[in-house]
Amino acid sequence: AWGLGLLLSIVYFAYFIMVSSGKINPGLLFGFCVWGNGDEEPTKEVGCAATGATTNSHLVALGIDVIMTALVAVFYFLDKNPKKENFSYFIYYIAFGFIILAHGILHAWIGSPSPPGIDCYSADTSKYERLGYVLFAAFSFFLALIILSFGFQFGVPSILGSGLFAFVVVQITQNAGGGNEYFLPGLFCVVHPLSCFTGLFANSTEGKAMFSETVGRLFVITTLVGICELAACDDWFKSIGGHFYYDLTLHSAIVAALPYFTFPGSKKKRI
């Protein structure tokens, strides 16, 4: 499954390049396929709130992310592994919860009326640019560090690899067309091949368990959803709800990778 995911990730990245360079225009707002329940579709000109929408793809995604974060906490308390009391074990749940909740906070900012949000689209990103790229680089680094450390153990190679990953992501998104509009999709288009590479070559016992075939299959579905978003937003993907399917499938894969599902002894009663 991870091999197929890697091939699809390359396709996903190719679509990102075509979209960000203007070769195709699928009708994205700030890099996302956005549906709203208003009288008209959200657009760059009017955003989401002015259409009369009370919810949109970002806010639905936020709700999904909050539920998924809560599930991470629930499965931690259900976990019966004897190693549960160790901080090194607890950090798995903290890391996964952080990834999901941080994703949800981004959707809350993008999908909420301005201020404090940007109402699904902002033509002027200059006021966010300096701080935004510092936070973006930091988030990219820690995301890569979590993935690489889980797959190959924490150490100097995973730290250096994460620094390189953050540098590459920032360079790609800064040099993409469309100003800074595509920096968030750019991150996830690069994180997909990184995750699949880790799934294929993970060499730690914990990494091999967490990057299981089940998680790999879910990740394949997530990548297909991402491709559909970039390739067919206006054609049909927006009409069925847009971006929130990405959060639903991605975070289902993350929850499926939790120690509760992947580590031996996590579902057994402690003696």
Side-chain angles (χ1 to χ4, degrees), residues 46-267:
V46 301
C48 284
T51 67
T54 55
T55 192
N56 56 64
S57 299
H58 290 293
L59 298 183
V60 175
L62 169 62
I64 290 169
D65 296 346
V66 169
I67 292 170
M68 293 289 189
T69 304
L71 284 176
V72 171
V74 168
F75 288 122
Y76 172 74
F77 286 108
L78 292 176
D79 196 321
K80 304 301 181 183
N81 196 299
K83 298 179 181 179
K84 180 181 174 181
E85 308 304 330
N86 298 336
F87 179 75
S88 59
Y89 193 90
F90 179 58
I91 200 69
Y92 291 123
Y93 286 91
I94 291 294
F96 286 150
F98 166 76
I99 290 172
I100 297 172
L101 189 58
H103 199 140
I105 290 170
L106 285 170
H107 282 302
W109 174 63
I110 298 171
S112 298
S114 57
I118 62 170
D119 195 29
C120 298
Y121 182 78
S122 174
D124 179 18
T125 59
S126 59
K127 56 187 175 183
Y128 313 118
E129 187 169 356
R130 180 173 296 180
L131 177 61
Y133 267 111
V134 171
L135 295 174
F136 179 60
F139 180 73
S140 301
F141 173 81
F142 283 110
L143 181 61
L145 187 62
I146 289 169
I147 294 169
L148 293 175
S149 296
F150 286 179
F152 303 103
Q153 297 185 337
F154 178 77
V156 173
S158 60
I159 293 172
L160 293 177
S162 301
L164 177 62
F165 172 81
F167 175 79
V168 169
V169 169
V170 170
Q171 290 301 309
I172 288 173
T173 53
Q174 280 186 328
N175 293 308
N180 300 314
E181 185 173 337
Y182 298 105
F183 72 95
L184 288 173
L187 165 63
F188 291 102
C189 284
V190 181
V191 113
H192 273 248
L194 177 71
S195 300
C196 293
F197 173 85
T198 305
L200 279 172
F201 299 107
N203 60 11
S204 69
T205 302
E206 295 83 0
K208 290 178 180 178
M210 286 188 291
F211 288 88
S212 65
E213 278 297 299
T214 298
V215 175
R217 293 186 190 104
L218 288 169
F219 206 77
V220 165
I221 296 171
T222 302
T223 310
L224 286 170
V225 169
I227 292 170
C228 291
E229 179 169 20
L230 295 183
C233 178
D234 275 346
D235 291 339
W236 59 269
F237 194 71
K238 183 189 299 182
S239 66
I240 63 169
H243 178 81
F244 78 81
Y245 291 103
Y246 182 84
D247 283 55
L248 180 63
T249 53
L250 175 63
H251 296 151
S252 293
I254 291 175
V255 168
L258 287 171
Y260 178 80
F261 295 105
T262 57
F263 286 11
S266 294
K267 293 183 182 180

